[in-house]
Structures are given as structure tokens and as C-alpha cells.
Amino acid sequence: TAVKPAGVWNETELLRLAASIERGSEHSLAAAIVAGAEKRGIDLLGVGDFSSGAGKGVAGTVAGRAVAVGSARFLVQLGVSASPLADVAERLQREGQTVMFVAVDHELAGLLSVSDPIKDSAREAIRNLHRDRIRLVMLTGDSPATADIVARELRIDEVQAEVLPDEKGSIIKRLQAEGHIVAMA
């Protein structure tokens, strides 16, 4: 949805490096970034030393440069501050977009955002579940701002944001321990 370079970077090179590294990820956000680069006719580069932190981000080497794409929290773990683009990220998240920061050679290079339009079939499914008096809880790795917008629009009963994949199982176990019957989609 958006490519916002920082410093000396331009949109094309930022997206080229980010999409090249994301090509190694199986995440749907990665697929959206790669598709966005391909749609713009950007040639992707080979990747070395690829690593993935589930729900956090990806890192590796592209054209001899250290590249990382992920959450602000992920970049902080790598010693990179995302704060110069925090206001831009917050604005995009309030619009319901998912934001990923990009670092190149341990410096903030920019951010990318992805939006996923809500399908009519999702609205209908949620209406049917509510009609059956089923309480809906959304567990998401997205920011609270993005998650709240989606939850409000879909009338989801409860939202827990910035949840890592390995944390979702323990939340489900807690709900079951409280006596709830839980199904996950």
C-alpha cells in the first residue's frame, strides 16, 4: 500500500531489498511485498544468510548488505531505532494498514505498509457467528491501532494485538481453562 523511504533511500531500491529478503518468507505479508515489487517491475536479488523470527521479521544479506524487515520491536532487537518514522507508521496503522520497517546495514531505511481489504464473506460469517451467540476474539500480530480498526469494523468482541505466533497457543489454553469451548480459524 505504501513505501516510505528514509534518508538516502528511494522507493524502488527500498522495495527491491525488502522484497528480495521477503521472498524467503512464507508469511502472507511477505507475499504481498513481493507481489508489490513484481507489479512495479522491480527485479529481485539473491539472498544469503536468511533467518526468520516468527511473527517478528526476517533478516539476511542482499547484494552484500545486511537487510532486515519487520516490526519496530524486531528492529530494536537488532539495534536499529524505528522512531524517525514512528509518526508515519502510526498514521498508516490508524488507517488499518500493517506496517513493517526496513533496516539496511543496521540503519533505518524506511517502512512498507500492507492493507488487506475485509471481504464481504468475512462480514457475513461474523454476523452468522454472532447470531449463534458465539463470542469472537481476534489474536493478531498487528499493532493495536490496526487491530482495533478491523475489530470495530467487523464487530469482533475482543482483540489482542501484538501477539506472537507461539503466544497464541497459550492464550487459547487459558481460554479453555476458563471453561470456554475454543475454535480457531
mmCIF file with all atom_site columns, all heavy atoms in Angstrom, residues 116-142:
data_model
loop_
_atom_site.group_PDB
_atom_site.id
_atom_site.type_symbol
_atom_site.label_atom_id
_atom_site.label_alt_id
_atom_site.label_comp_id
_atom_site.label_asym_id
_atom_site.label_entity_id
_atom_site.label_seq_id
_atom_site.pdbx_PDB_ins_code
_atom_site.Cartn_x
_atom_site.Cartn_y
_atom_site.Cartn_z
_atom_site.occupancy
_atom_site.B_iso_or_equiv
_atom_site.pdbx_formal_charge
_atom_site.auth_seq_id
_atom_site.auth_comp_id
_atom_site.auth_asym_id
_atom_site.auth_atom_id
_atom_site.pdbx_PDB_model_num
ATOM 1   N N   . ASP A 1 116 ? -5.195  -5.144  3.863  1.00 0.00 ? 116 ASP A N   1
ATOM 2   C CA  . ASP A 1 116 ? -5.948  -6.311  3.430  1.00 0.00 ? 116 ASP A CA  1
ATOM 3   C C   . ASP A 1 116 ? -7.425  -5.957  3.526  1.00 0.00 ? 116 ASP A C   1
ATOM 4   O O   . ASP A 1 116 ? -7.978  -5.907  4.628  1.00 0.00 ? 116 ASP A O   1
ATOM 5   C CB  . ASP A 1 116 ? -5.611  -7.501  4.327  1.00 0.00 ? 116 ASP A CB  1
ATOM 6   C CG  . ASP A 1 116 ? -6.205  -8.797  3.827  1.00 0.00 ? 116 ASP A CG  1
ATOM 7   O OD1 . ASP A 1 116 ? -6.703  -8.831  2.685  1.00 0.00 ? 116 ASP A OD1 1
ATOM 8   O OD2 . ASP A 1 116 ? -6.172  -9.775  4.577  1.00 0.00 ? 116 ASP A OD2 1
ATOM 9   N N   . PRO A 1 117 ? -8.073  -5.664  2.403  1.00 0.00 ? 117 PRO A N   1
ATOM 10  C CA  . PRO A 1 117 ? -9.486  -5.302  2.465  1.00 0.00 ? 117 PRO A CA  1
ATOM 11  C C   . PRO A 1 117 ? -10.311 -6.429  3.074  1.00 0.00 ? 117 PRO A C   1
ATOM 12  O O   . PRO A 1 117 ? -10.045 -7.607  2.827  1.00 0.00 ? 117 PRO A O   1
ATOM 13  C CB  . PRO A 1 117 ? -9.884  -5.057  1.012  1.00 0.00 ? 117 PRO A CB  1
ATOM 14  C CG  . PRO A 1 117 ? -8.662  -5.228  0.192  1.00 0.00 ? 117 PRO A CG  1
ATOM 15  C CD  . PRO A 1 117 ? -7.556  -5.718  1.056  1.00 0.00 ? 117 PRO A CD  1
ATOM 16  N N   . ILE A 1 118 ? -11.277 -6.033  3.867  1.00 0.00 ? 118 ILE A N   1
ATOM 17  C CA  . ILE A 1 118 ? -12.155 -7.021  4.511  1.00 0.00 ? 118 ILE A CA  1
ATOM 18  C C   . ILE A 1 118 ? -13.137 -7.546  3.469  1.00 0.00 ? 118 ILE A C   1
ATOM 19  O O   . ILE A 1 118 ? -13.811 -6.782  2.786  1.00 0.00 ? 118 ILE A O   1
ATOM 20  C CB  . ILE A 1 118 ? -12.888 -6.392  5.699  1.00 0.00 ? 118 ILE A CB  1
ATOM 21  C CG1 . ILE A 1 118 ? -11.859 -5.960  6.755  1.00 0.00 ? 118 ILE A CG1 1
ATOM 22  C CG2 . ILE A 1 118 ? -13.909 -7.353  6.278  1.00 0.00 ? 118 ILE A CG2 1
ATOM 23  C CD1 . ILE A 1 118 ? -12.414 -5.111  7.864  1.00 0.00 ? 118 ILE A CD1 1
ATOM 24  N N   . LYS A 1 119 ? -13.201 -8.856  3.381  1.00 0.00 ? 119 LYS A N   1
ATOM 25  C CA  . LYS A 1 119 ? -14.085 -9.493  2.396  1.00 0.00 ? 119 LYS A CA  1
ATOM 26  C C   . LYS A 1 119 ? -15.523 -9.498  2.911  1.00 0.00 ? 119 LYS A C   1
ATOM 27  O O   . LYS A 1 119 ? -15.772 -9.639  4.109  1.00 0.00 ? 119 LYS A O   1
ATOM 28  C CB  . LYS A 1 119 ? -13.626 -10.930 2.145  1.00 0.00 ? 119 LYS A CB  1
ATOM 29  C CG  . LYS A 1 119 ? -12.246 -11.032 1.534  1.00 0.00 ? 119 LYS A CG  1
ATOM 30  C CD  . LYS A 1 119 ? -11.836 -12.493 1.402  1.00 0.00 ? 119 LYS A CD  1
ATOM 31  C CE  . LYS A 1 119 ? -10.447 -12.616 0.848  1.00 0.00 ? 119 LYS A CE  1
ATOM 32  N NZ  . LYS A 1 119 ? -9.411  -12.439 1.835  1.00 0.00 ? 119 LYS A NZ  1
ATOM 33  N N   . ASP A 1 120 ? -16.466 -9.386  1.983  1.00 0.00 ? 120 ASP A N   1
ATOM 34  C CA  . ASP A 1 120 ? -17.881 -9.447  2.361  1.00 0.00 ? 120 ASP A CA  1
ATOM 35  C C   . ASP A 1 120 ? -18.209 -10.773 3.027  1.00 0.00 ? 120 ASP A C   1
ATOM 36  O O   . ASP A 1 120 ? -19.024 -10.828 3.940  1.00 0.00 ? 120 ASP A O   1
ATOM 37  C CB  . ASP A 1 120 ? -18.774 -9.240  1.130  1.00 0.00 ? 120 ASP A CB  1
ATOM 38  C CG  . ASP A 1 120 ? -18.732 -7.797  0.630  1.00 0.00 ? 120 ASP A CG  1
ATOM 39  O OD1 . ASP A 1 120 ? -18.438 -6.891  1.447  1.00 0.00 ? 120 ASP A OD1 1
ATOM 40  O OD2 . ASP A 1 120 ? -18.990 -7.577  -0.565 1.00 0.00 ? 120 ASP A OD2 1
ATOM 41  N N   . SER A 1 121 ? -17.538 -11.847 2.578  1.00 0.00 ? 121 SER A N   1
ATOM 42  C CA  . SER A 1 121 ? -17.806 -13.163 3.170  1.00 0.00 ? 121 SER A CA  1
ATOM 43  C C   . SER A 1 121 ? -17.395 -13.192 4.640  1.00 0.00 ? 121 SER A C   1
ATOM 44  O O   . SER A 1 121 ? -18.023 -13.891 5.452  1.00 0.00 ? 121 SER A O   1
ATOM 45  C CB  . SER A 1 121 ? -17.088 -14.260 2.388  1.00 0.00 ? 121 SER A CB  1
ATOM 46  O OG  . SER A 1 121 ? -15.683 -14.043 2.402  1.00 0.00 ? 121 SER A OG  1
ATOM 47  N N   . ALA A 1 122 ? -16.370 -12.417 5.020  1.00 0.00 ? 122 ALA A N   1
ATOM 48  C CA  . ALA A 1 122 ? -15.957 -12.355 6.425  1.00 0.00 ? 122 ALA A CA  1
ATOM 49  C C   . ALA A 1 122 ? -17.033 -11.653 7.245  1.00 0.00 ? 122 ALA A C   1
ATOM 50  O O   . ALA A 1 122 ? -17.373 -12.091 8.348  1.00 0.00 ? 122 ALA A O   1
ATOM 51  C CB  . ALA A 1 122 ? -14.628 -11.628 6.560  1.00 0.00 ? 122 ALA A CB  1
ATOM 52  N N   . ARG A 1 123 ? -17.569 -10.567 6.706  1.00 0.00 ? 123 ARG A N   1
ATOM 53  C CA  . ARG A 1 123 ? -18.645 -9.845  7.412  1.00 0.00 ? 123 ARG A CA  1
ATOM 54  C C   . ARG A 1 123 ? -19.845 -10.765 7.647  1.00 0.00 ? 123 ARG A C   1
ATOM 55  O O   . ARG A 1 123 ? -20.402 -10.797 8.737  1.00 0.00 ? 123 ARG A O   1
ATOM 56  C CB  . ARG A 1 123 ? -19.082 -8.629  6.604  1.00 0.00 ? 123 ARG A CB  1
ATOM 57  C CG  . ARG A 1 123 ? -18.051 -7.562  6.465  1.00 0.00 ? 123 ARG A CG  1
ATOM 58  C CD  . ARG A 1 123 ? -18.589 -6.434  5.572  1.00 0.00 ? 123 ARG A CD  1
ATOM 59  N NE  . ARG A 1 123 ? -17.542 -5.673  4.960  1.00 0.00 ? 123 ARG A NE  1
ATOM 60  C CZ  . ARG A 1 123 ? -16.812 -4.761  5.566  1.00 0.00 ? 123 ARG A CZ  1
ATOM 61  N NH1 . ARG A 1 123 ? -17.019 -4.502  6.828  1.00 0.00 ? 123 ARG A NH1 1
ATOM 62  N NH2 . ARG A 1 123 ? -15.874 -4.108  4.914  1.00 0.00 ? 123 ARG A NH2 1
ATOM 63  N N   . GLU A 1 124 ? -20.213 -11.500 6.604  1.00 0.00 ? 124 GLU A N   1
ATOM 64  C CA  . GLU A 1 124 ? -21.358 -12.394 6.706  1.00 0.00 ? 124 GLU A CA  1
ATOM 65  C C   . GLU A 1 124 ? -21.085 -13.517 7.719  1.00 0.00 ? 124 GLU A C   1
ATOM 66  O O   . GLU A 1 124 ? -21.949 -13.853 8.541  1.00 0.00 ? 124 GLU A O   1
ATOM 67  C CB  . GLU A 1 124 ? -21.693 -12.985 5.339  1.00 0.00 ? 124 GLU A CB  1
ATOM 68  C CG  . GLU A 1 124 ? -22.904 -13.885 5.360  1.00 0.00 ? 124 GLU A CG  1
ATOM 69  C CD  . GLU A 1 124 ? -23.208 -14.480 3.987  1.00 0.00 ? 124 GLU A CD  1
ATOM 70  O OE1 . GLU A 1 124 ? -22.657 -14.005 2.970  1.00 0.00 ? 124 GLU A OE1 1
ATOM 71  O OE2 . GLU A 1 124 ? -23.997 -15.437 3.953  1.00 0.00 ? 124 GLU A OE2 1
ATOM 72  N N   . ALA A 1 125 ? -19.893 -14.094 7.673  1.00 0.00 ? 125 ALA A N   1
ATOM 73  C CA  . ALA A 1 125 ? -19.547 -15.169 8.614  1.00 0.00 ? 125 ALA A CA  1
ATOM 74  C C   . ALA A 1 125 ? -19.616 -14.666 10.056 1.00 0.00 ? 125 ALA A C   1
ATOM 75  O O   . ALA A 1 125 ? -20.143 -15.361 10.938 1.00 0.00 ? 125 ALA A O   1
ATOM 76  C CB  . ALA A 1 125 ? -18.154 -15.704 8.303  1.00 0.00 ? 125 ALA A CB  1
ATOM 77  N N   . ILE A 1 126 ? -19.117 -13.468 10.301 1.00 0.00 ? 126 ILE A N   1
ATOM 78  C CA  . ILE A 1 126 ? -19.135 -12.912 11.662 1.00 0.00 ? 126 ILE A CA  1
ATOM 79  C C   . ILE A 1 126 ? -20.564 -12.629 12.110 1.00 0.00 ? 126 ILE A C   1
ATOM 80  O O   . ILE A 1 126 ? -20.930 -12.907 13.253 1.00 0.00 ? 126 ILE A O   1
ATOM 81  C CB  . ILE A 1 126 ? -18.211 -11.686 11.746 1.00 0.00 ? 126 ILE A CB  1
ATOM 82  C CG1 . ILE A 1 126 ? -16.763 -12.184 11.670 1.00 0.00 ? 126 ILE A CG1 1
ATOM 83  C CG2 . ILE A 1 126 ? -18.465 -10.883 13.010 1.00 0.00 ? 126 ILE A CG2 1
ATOM 84  C CD1 . ILE A 1 126 ? -15.730 -11.118 11.522 1.00 0.00 ? 126 ILE A CD1 1
ATOM 85  N N   . ARG A 1 127 ? -21.389 -12.110 11.210 1.00 0.00 ? 127 ARG A N   1
ATOM 86  C CA  . ARG A 1 127 ? -22.812 -11.900 11.555 1.00 0.00 ? 127 ARG A CA  1
ATOM 87  C C   . ARG A 1 127 ? -23.456 -13.222 11.948 1.00 0.00 ? 127 ARG A C   1
ATOM 88  O O   . ARG A 1 127 ? -24.196 -13.302 12.942 1.00 0.00 ? 127 ARG A O   1
ATOM 89  C CB  . ARG A 1 127 ? -23.563 -11.279 10.377 1.00 0.00 ? 127 ARG A CB  1
ATOM 90  C CG  . ARG A 1 127 ? -23.480 -9.778  10.299 1.00 0.00 ? 127 ARG A CG  1
ATOM 91  C CD  . ARG A 1 127 ? -24.507 -9.193  9.328  1.00 0.00 ? 127 ARG A CD  1
ATOM 92  N NE  . ARG A 1 127 ? -24.403 -9.711  7.972  1.00 0.00 ? 127 ARG A NE  1
ATOM 93  C CZ  . ARG A 1 127 ? -23.581 -9.229  7.036  1.00 0.00 ? 127 ARG A CZ  1
ATOM 94  N NH1 . ARG A 1 127 ? -22.805 -8.213  7.309  1.00 0.00 ? 127 ARG A NH1 1
ATOM 95  N NH2 . ARG A 1 127 ? -23.560 -9.767  5.836  1.00 0.00 ? 127 ARG A NH2 1
ATOM 96  N N   . ASN A 1 128 ? -23.175 -14.281 11.183 1.00 0.00 ? 128 ASN A N   1
ATOM 97  C CA  . ASN A 1 128 ? -23.758 -15.589 11.486 1.00 0.00 ? 128 ASN A CA  1
ATOM 98  C C   . ASN A 1 128 ? -23.262 -16.131 12.824 1.00 0.00 ? 128 ASN A C   1
ATOM 99  O O   . ASN A 1 128 ? -24.043 -16.709 13.590 1.00 0.00 ? 128 ASN A O   1
ATOM 100 C CB  . ASN A 1 128 ? -23.449 -16.584 10.366 1.00 0.00 ? 128 ASN A CB  1
ATOM 101 C CG  . ASN A 1 128 ? -24.208 -16.271 9.093  1.00 0.00 ? 128 ASN A CG  1
ATOM 102 O OD1 . ASN A 1 128 ? -25.244 -15.611 9.122  1.00 0.00 ? 128 ASN A OD1 1
ATOM 103 N ND2 . ASN A 1 128 ? -23.677 -16.711 7.962  1.00 0.00 ? 128 ASN A ND2 1
ATOM 104 N N   . LEU A 1 129 ? -21.976 -15.958 13.110 1.00 0.00 ? 129 LEU A N   1
ATOM 105 C CA  . LEU A 1 129 ? -21.438 -16.421 14.389 1.00 0.00 ? 129 LEU A CA  1
ATOM 106 C C   . LEU A 1 129 ? -22.056 -15.645 15.553 1.00 0.00 ? 129 LEU A C   1
ATOM 107 O O   . LEU A 1 129 ? -22.404 -16.238 16.581 1.00 0.00 ? 129 LEU A O   1
ATOM 108 C CB  . LEU A 1 129 ? -19.915 -16.295 14.401 1.00 0.00 ? 129 LEU A CB  1
ATOM 109 C CG  . LEU A 1 129 ? -19.183 -17.263 13.460 1.00 0.00 ? 129 LEU A CG  1
ATOM 110 C CD1 . LEU A 1 129 ? -17.724 -16.849 13.301 1.00 0.00 ? 129 LEU A CD1 1
ATOM 111 C CD2 . LEU A 1 129 ? -19.290 -18.690 13.973 1.00 0.00 ? 129 LEU A CD2 1
ATOM 112 N N   . HIS A 1 130 ? -22.210 -14.348 15.400 1.00 0.00 ? 130 HIS A N   1
ATOM 113 C CA  . HIS A 1 130 ? -22.859 -13.555 16.452 1.00 0.00 ? 130 HIS A CA  1
ATOM 114 C C   . HIS A 1 130 ? -24.316 -13.970 16.634 1.00 0.00 ? 130 HIS A C   1
ATOM 115 O O   . HIS A 1 130 ? -24.805 -14.032 17.762 1.00 0.00 ? 130 HIS A O   1
ATOM 116 C CB  . HIS A 1 130 ? -22.768 -12.061 16.133 1.00 0.00 ? 130 HIS A CB  1
ATOM 117 C CG  . HIS A 1 130 ? -21.485 -11.444 16.566 1.00 0.00 ? 130 HIS A CG  1
ATOM 118 N ND1 . HIS A 1 130 ? -20.835 -10.503 15.821 1.00 0.00 ? 130 HIS A ND1 1
ATOM 119 C CD2 . HIS A 1 130 ? -20.718 -11.622 17.671 1.00 0.00 ? 130 HIS A CD2 1
ATOM 120 C CE1 . HIS A 1 130 ? -19.732 -10.124 16.433 1.00 0.00 ? 130 HIS A CE1 1
ATOM 121 N NE2 . HIS A 1 130 ? -19.635 -10.808 17.553 1.00 0.00 ? 130 HIS A NE2 1
ATOM 122 N N   . ARG A 1 131 ? -24.988 -14.260 15.527 1.00 0.00 ? 131 ARG A N   1
ATOM 123 C CA  . ARG A 1 131 ? -26.387 -14.699 15.603 1.00 0.00 ? 131 ARG A CA  1
ATOM 124 C C   . ARG A 1 131 ? -26.475 -15.986 16.430 1.00 0.00 ? 131 ARG A C   1
ATOM 125 O O   . ARG A 1 131 ? -27.430 -16.215 17.156 1.00 0.00 ? 131 ARG A O   1
ATOM 126 C CB  . ARG A 1 131 ? -26.934 -14.907 14.193 1.00 0.00 ? 131 ARG A CB  1
ATOM 127 C CG  . ARG A 1 131 ? -28.417 -15.180 14.164 1.00 0.00 ? 131 ARG A CG  1
ATOM 128 C CD  . ARG A 1 131 ? -29.043 -15.246 12.761 1.00 0.00 ? 131 ARG A CD  1
ATOM 129 N NE  . ARG A 1 131 ? -28.145 -15.626 11.698 1.00 0.00 ? 131 ARG A NE  1
ATOM 130 C CZ  . ARG A 1 131 ? -27.755 -14.795 10.706 1.00 0.00 ? 131 ARG A CZ  1
ATOM 131 N NH1 . ARG A 1 131 ? -28.193 -13.560 10.659 1.00 0.00 ? 131 ARG A NH1 1
ATOM 132 N NH2 . ARG A 1 131 ? -26.940 -15.221 9.762  1.00 0.00 ? 131 ARG A NH2 1
ATOM 133 N N   . ASP A 1 132 ? -25.434 -16.831 16.343 1.00 0.00 ? 132 ASP A N   1
ATOM 134 C CA  . ASP A 1 132 ? -25.388 -18.071 17.124 1.00 0.00 ? 132 ASP A CA  1
ATOM 135 C C   . ASP A 1 132 ? -24.822 -17.849 18.528 1.00 0.00 ? 132 ASP A C   1
ATOM 136 O O   . ASP A 1 132 ? -24.511 -18.808 19.231 1.00 0.00 ? 132 ASP A O   1
ATOM 137 C CB  . ASP A 1 132 ? -24.550 -19.124 16.385 1.00 0.00 ? 132 ASP A CB  1
ATOM 138 C CG  . ASP A 1 132 ? -25.218 -19.623 15.122 1.00 0.00 ? 132 ASP A CG  1
ATOM 139 O OD1 . ASP A 1 132 ? -26.455 -19.472 14.990 1.00 0.00 ? 132 ASP A OD1 1
ATOM 140 O OD2 . ASP A 1 132 ? -24.497 -20.150 14.245 1.00 0.00 ? 132 ASP A OD2 1
ATOM 141 N N   . ARG A 1 133 ? -24.653 -16.570 18.902 1.00 0.00 ? 133 ARG A N   1
ATOM 142 C CA  . ARG A 1 133 ? -24.156 -16.158 20.225 1.00 0.00 ? 133 ARG A CA  1
ATOM 143 C C   . ARG A 1 133 ? -22.738 -16.665 20.511 1.00 0.00 ? 133 ARG A C   1
ATOM 144 O O   . ARG A 1 133 ? -22.411 -17.056 21.641 1.00 0.00 ? 133 ARG A O   1
ATOM 145 C CB  . ARG A 1 133 ? -25.125 -16.595 21.310 1.00 0.00 ? 133 ARG A CB  1
ATOM 146 C CG  . ARG A 1 133 ? -26.456 -15.898 21.150 1.00 0.00 ? 133 ARG A CG  1
ATOM 147 C CD  . ARG A 1 133 ? -27.264 -15.972 22.388 1.00 0.00 ? 133 ARG A CD  1
ATOM 148 N NE  . ARG A 1 133 ? -28.417 -15.108 22.189 1.00 0.00 ? 133 ARG A NE  1
ATOM 149 C CZ  . ARG A 1 133 ? -29.655 -15.474 22.411 1.00 0.00 ? 133 ARG A CZ  1
ATOM 150 N NH1 . ARG A 1 133 ? -29.906 -16.674 22.852 1.00 0.00 ? 133 ARG A NH1 1
ATOM 151 N NH2 . ARG A 1 133 ? -30.629 -14.628 22.207 1.00 0.00 ? 133 ARG A NH2 1
ATOM 152 N N   . ILE A 1 134 ? -21.923 -16.653 19.487 1.00 0.00 ? 134 ILE A N   1
ATOM 153 C CA  . ILE A 1 134 ? -20.519 -17.038 19.646 1.00 0.00 ? 134 ILE A CA  1
ATOM 154 C C   . ILE A 1 134 ? -19.704 -15.774 19.836 1.00 0.00 ? 134 ILE A C   1
ATOM 155 O O   . ILE A 1 134 ? -19.828 -14.824 19.067 1.00 0.00 ? 134 ILE A O   1
ATOM 156 C CB  . ILE A 1 134 ? -20.034 -17.858 18.431 1.00 0.00 ? 134 ILE A CB  1
ATOM 157 C CG1 . ILE A 1 134 ? -20.798 -19.191 18.391 1.00 0.00 ? 134 ILE A CG1 1
ATOM 158 C CG2 . ILE A 1 134 ? -18.525 -18.063 18.483 1.00 0.00 ? 134 ILE A CG2 1
ATOM 159 C CD1 . ILE A 1 134 ? -20.522 -20.034 17.178 1.00 0.00 ? 134 ILE A CD1 1
ATOM 160 N N   . ARG A 1 135 ? -18.901 -15.768 20.880 1.00 0.00 ? 135 ARG A N   1
ATOM 161 C CA  . ARG A 1 135 ? -18.023 -14.633 21.189 1.00 0.00 ? 135 ARG A CA  1
ATOM 162 C C   . ARG A 1 135 ? -16.769 -14.757 20.343 1.00 0.00 ? 135 ARG A C   1
ATOM 163 O O   . ARG A 1 135 ? -16.140 -15.808 20.295 1.00 0.00 ? 135 ARG A O   1
ATOM 164 C CB  . ARG A 1 135 ? -17.660 -14.656 22.679 1.00 0.00 ? 135 ARG A CB  1
ATOM 165 C CG  . ARG A 1 135 ? -16.786 -13.520 23.108 1.00 0.00 ? 135 ARG A CG  1
ATOM 166 C CD  . ARG A 1 135 ? -16.673 -13.543 24.651 1.00 0.00 ? 135 ARG A CD  1
ATOM 167 N NE  . ARG A 1 135 ? -15.498 -12.819 25.042 1.00 0.00 ? 135 ARG A NE  1
ATOM 168 C CZ  . ARG A 1 135 ? -14.380 -13.382 25.486 1.00 0.00 ? 135 ARG A CZ  1
ATOM 169 N NH1 . ARG A 1 135 ? -14.310 -14.685 25.652 1.00 0.00 ? 135 ARG A NH1 1
ATOM 170 N NH2 . ARG A 1 135 ? -13.351 -12.644 25.818 1.00 0.00 ? 135 ARG A NH2 1
ATOM 171 N N   . LEU A 1 136 ? -16.393 -13.672 19.690 1.00 0.00 ? 136 LEU A N   1
ATOM 172 C CA  . LEU A 1 136 ? -15.249 -13.699 18.791 1.00 0.00 ? 136 LEU A CA  1
ATOM 173 C C   . LEU A 1 136 ? -14.076 -12.924 19.380 1.00 0.00 ? 136 LEU A C   1
ATOM 174 O O   . LEU A 1 136 ? -14.228 -11.774 19.802 1.00 0.00 ? 136 LEU A O   1
ATOM 175 C CB  . LEU A 1 136 ? -15.627 -13.091 17.438 1.00 0.00 ? 136 LEU A CB  1
ATOM 176 C CG  . LEU A 1 136 ? -16.745 -13.831 16.708 1.00 0.00 ? 136 LEU A CG  1
ATOM 177 C CD1 . LEU A 1 136 ? -17.172 -13.061 15.476 1.00 0.00 ? 136 LEU A CD1 1
ATOM 178 C CD2 . LEU A 1 136 ? -16.298 -15.221 16.338 1.00 0.00 ? 136 LEU A CD2 1
ATOM 179 N N   . VAL A 1 137 ? -12.928 -13.585 19.401 1.00 0.00 ? 137 VAL A N   1
ATOM 180 C CA  . VAL A 1 137 ? -11.696 -12.983 19.893 1.00 0.00 ? 137 VAL A CA  1
ATOM 181 C C   . VAL A 1 137 ? -10.693 -13.005 18.748 1.00 0.00 ? 137 VAL A C   1
ATOM 182 O O   . VAL A 1 137 ? -10.467 -14.048 18.135 1.00 0.00 ? 137 VAL A O   1
ATOM 183 C CB  . VAL A 1 137 ? -11.126 -13.774 21.102 1.00 0.00 ? 137 VAL A CB  1
ATOM 184 C CG1 . VAL A 1 137 ? -9.832  -13.160 21.586 1.00 0.00 ? 137 VAL A CG1 1
ATOM 185 C CG2 . VAL A 1 137 ? -12.155 -13.847 22.222 1.00 0.00 ? 137 VAL A CG2 1
ATOM 186 N N   . MET A 1 138 ? -10.107 -11.843 18.461 1.00 0.00 ? 138 MET A N   1
ATOM 187 C CA  . MET A 1 138 ? -9.094  -11.773 17.408 1.00 0.00 ? 138 MET A CA  1
ATOM 188 C C   . MET A 1 138 ? -7.723  -11.705 18.065 1.00 0.00 ? 138 MET A C   1
ATOM 189 O O   . MET A 1 138 ? -7.458  -10.809 18.862 1.00 0.00 ? 138 MET A O   1
ATOM 190 C CB  . MET A 1 138 ? -9.316  -10.534 16.530 1.00 0.00 ? 138 MET A CB  1
ATOM 191 C CG  . MET A 1 138 ? -8.286  -10.420 15.417 1.00 0.00 ? 138 MET A CG  1
ATOM 192 S SD  . MET A 1 138 ? -8.652  -9.135  14.191 1.00 0.00 ? 138 MET A SD  1
ATOM 193 C CE  . MET A 1 138 ? -8.421  -7.646  15.142 1.00 0.00 ? 138 MET A CE  1
ATOM 194 N N   . LEU A 1 139 ? -6.864  -12.670 17.734 1.00 0.00 ? 139 LEU A N   1
ATOM 195 C CA  . LEU A 1 139 ? -5.472  -12.672 18.173 1.00 0.00 ? 139 LEU A CA  1
ATOM 196 C C   . LEU A 1 139 ? -4.642  -12.331 16.947 1.00 0.00 ? 139 LEU A C   1
ATOM 197 O O   . LEU A 1 139 ? -4.701  -13.047 15.950 1.00 0.00 ? 139 LEU A O   1
ATOM 198 C CB  . LEU A 1 139 ? -5.071  -14.049 18.704 1.00 0.00 ? 139 LEU A CB  1
ATOM 199 C CG  . LEU A 1 139 ? -5.929  -14.643 19.811 1.00 0.00 ? 139 LEU A CG  1
ATOM 200 C CD1 . LEU A 1 139 ? -5.415  -16.034 20.183 1.00 0.00 ? 139 LEU A CD1 1
ATOM 201 C CD2 . LEU A 1 139 ? -5.940  -13.740 21.026 1.00 0.00 ? 139 LEU A CD2 1
ATOM 202 N N   . THR A 1 140 ? -3.881  -11.258 17.019 1.00 0.00 ? 140 THR A N   1
ATOM 203 C CA  . THR A 1 140 ? -3.142  -10.822 15.840 1.00 0.00 ? 140 THR A CA  1
ATOM 204 C C   . THR A 1 140 ? -1.775  -10.263 16.200 1.00 0.00 ? 140 THR A C   1
ATOM 205 O O   . THR A 1 140 ? -1.596  -9.717  17.291 1.00 0.00 ? 140 THR A O   1
ATOM 206 C CB  . THR A 1 140 ? -3.949  -9.757  15.053 1.00 0.00 ? 140 THR A CB  1
ATOM 207 O OG1 . THR A 1 140 ? -3.190  -9.347  13.917 1.00 0.00 ? 140 THR A OG1 1
ATOM 208 C CG2 . THR A 1 140 ? -4.269  -8.543  15.899 1.00 0.00 ? 140 THR A CG2 1
ATOM 209 N N   . GLY A 1 141 ? -0.864  -10.404 15.293 1.00 0.00 ? 141 GLY A N   1
ATOM 210 C CA  . GLY A 1 141 ? 0.459   -9.816  15.460 1.00 0.00 ? 141 GLY A CA  1
ATOM 211 C C   . GLY A 1 141 ? 0.473   -8.339  15.109 1.00 0.00 ? 141 GLY A C   1
ATOM 212 O O   . GLY A 1 141 ? 1.453   -7.640  15.353 1.00 0.00 ? 141 GLY A O   1
ATOM 213 N N   . ASP A 1 142 ? -0.626  -7.849  14.543 1.00 0.00 ? 142 ASP A N   1
ATOM 214 C CA  . ASP A 1 142 ? -0.705  -6.447  14.145 1.00 0.00 ? 142 ASP A CA  1
ATOM 215 C C   . ASP A 1 142 ? -0.651  -5.514  15.346 1.00 0.00 ? 142 ASP A C   1
ATOM 216 O O   . ASP A 1 142 ? -0.855  -5.925  16.494 1.00 0.00 ? 142 ASP A O   1
ATOM 217 C CB  . ASP A 1 142 ? -2.006  -6.184  13.383 1.00 0.00 ? 142 ASP A CB  1
ATOM 218 C CG  . ASP A 1 142 ? -1.790  -6.074  11.895 1.00 0.00 ? 142 ASP A CG  1
ATOM 219 O OD1 . ASP A 1 142 ? -0.751  -5.523  11.485 1.00 0.00 ? 142 ASP A OD1 1
ATOM 220 O OD2 . ASP A 1 142 ? -2.657  -6.535  11.145 1.00 0.00 ? 142 ASP A OD2 1
#
